[in-house]
Amino acid sequence: MQAESEIWTTALFNRFLAGPLDTFLNAVGHPAADPAHPWPNLVVAIILVLFAVLRSRLSVDKPGNFQLAFEAIYKFVSGQASEAIDHHVNRYVPFFGTIFIFILFMNLIGIIPGLESPTMTPAVPLAFAIAVFLYYNWMGFREQGVGKYLAHFAGPVWWMAPIMIPIELISHFARPLSLTIRLYANMFAGERVTITFLTLTYFLLPAVFMGLHVFVALLQAFIFMLLATIYVGSAVAHEH
């Protein structure tokens, strides 16, 4: 059954392009749960198309501009992760890269006339925030072991545990809320400002505010990814 929250662009893709996507998903061994509506949202559709094109053009000897752009993104994400995590960095880069690219595409889709950034809906940033929360805690348990990871919540000395444990728990559970509000509020405000000025101006100024929207989209995707690297880095650091 089609989701009630499906936006008109997603419905358009599902109506006219369901067959090609079903064929592609079946070919790669991941059939859609609902063949009548295989496009979950427009962002997923765009990313699927882009990476399908990228995969067909991968070349070690003669990389194209598209491949070079994604290699630059990988190096950038890897570099940021290296500054926050002191070992096994490559283990975590795929997660950080996925977060960065997906949020960036969601933020940028708002510059298309008639569309809004999905990150303007609180549930979307919340889902990413919960994913980050679960991921860094799971990595902490995996890297340090359950006992050692939980021990760092008690603080550096045992007699501070009654004070430190509540503080640490509140701090950690506040992180998803902080990530959600930061991304949602900034994208919502940026989108409203852009739309307001676009309705007031019609010549050179719209380009300026569209550029501002792109800058905010890049910045918020970067900040979200950066905070994720910091959280993972603190969870897997052995000095705990």
Side-chain angles (χ1 to χ4, degrees), residues 32 37 56 58 60 67-68 81 83 88 104 119-120 132-133 169 175 181 189 214:
H37 304 96
S56 67
L58 288 178
V60 176
Q67 179 178 339
L68 291 174
E83 294 182 6
H88 304 308
L104 178 61
T119 42
M120 288 176 57
V132 170
F133 177 79
L169 288 176
R175 288 176 178 178
I181 294 175
V214 172

Side-chain angles (χ1 to χ4, degrees), residues 48-111:
L48 281 172
V49 171
L50 286 178
F51 278 91
V53 173
L54 176 63
R55 183 176 181 181
S56 67
R57 297 183 179 181
L58 288 178
S59 173
V60 176
D61 299 324
K62 295 181 180 180
N65 293 333
F66 198 45
Q67 179 178 339
L68 291 174
F70 275 90
E71 287 180 357
I73 292 175
Y74 175 84
K75 290 179 181 179
F76 170 73
V77 173
S78 180
Q80 294 298 318
S82 298
E83 294 182 6
I85 305 171
D86 56 8
H87 60 284
H88 304 308
V89 175
N90 290 334
R91 177 186 299 173
Y92 313 106
V93 171
F95 177 79
F96 300 142
T98 300
I99 287 287
F100 177 75
I101 291 174
F102 213 87
I103 292 178
L104 178 61
F105 273 73
M106 284 191 166
N107 292 346
L108 289 176
I109 204 171
I111 67 176

Side-chain angles (χ1 to χ4, degrees), residues 71-200:
E71 287 180 357
I73 292 175
Y74 175 84
K75 290 179 181 179
F76 170 73
V77 173
S78 180
Q80 294 298 318
S82 298
E83 294 182 6
I85 305 171
D86 56 8
H87 60 284
H88 304 308
V89 175
N90 290 334
R91 177 186 299 173
Y92 313 106
V93 171
F95 177 79
F96 300 142
T98 300
I99 287 287
F100 177 75
I101 291 174
F102 213 87
I103 292 178
L104 178 61
F105 273 73
M106 284 191 166
N107 292 346
L108 289 176
I109 204 171
I111 67 176
I112 300 175
L115 300 181
E116 290 186 346
S117 301
T119 42
M120 288 176 57
T121 302
V124 175
L126 178 60
F128 282 113
I130 292 175
V132 170
F133 177 79
L134 295 176
Y135 181 79
Y136 83 74
N137 279 293
W138 172 251
M139 290 298 105
F141 286 126
R142 179 179 176 181
E143 182 70 26
Q144 313 240 18
V146 175
K148 188 175 180 181
Y149 181 68
L150 292 177
H152 88 273
F153 286 87
V157 290
W158 66 268
W159 52 267
M160 292 185 64
I163 299 175
M164 292 302 300
I165 289 177
I167 292 175
E168 287 288 338
L169 288 176
I170 293 172
S171 172
H172 280 262
F173 281 105
R175 288 176 178 178
L177 179 62
S178 174
L179 288 172
T180 301
I181 294 175
R182 181 182 290 106
L183 180 56
Y184 164 70
N186 281 285
M187 289 309 303
F188 182 84
E191 187 97 355
R192 293 300 102 188
V193 169
T194 300
I195 292 174
T196 299
F197 279 96
L198 285 178
T199 59
L200 297 176

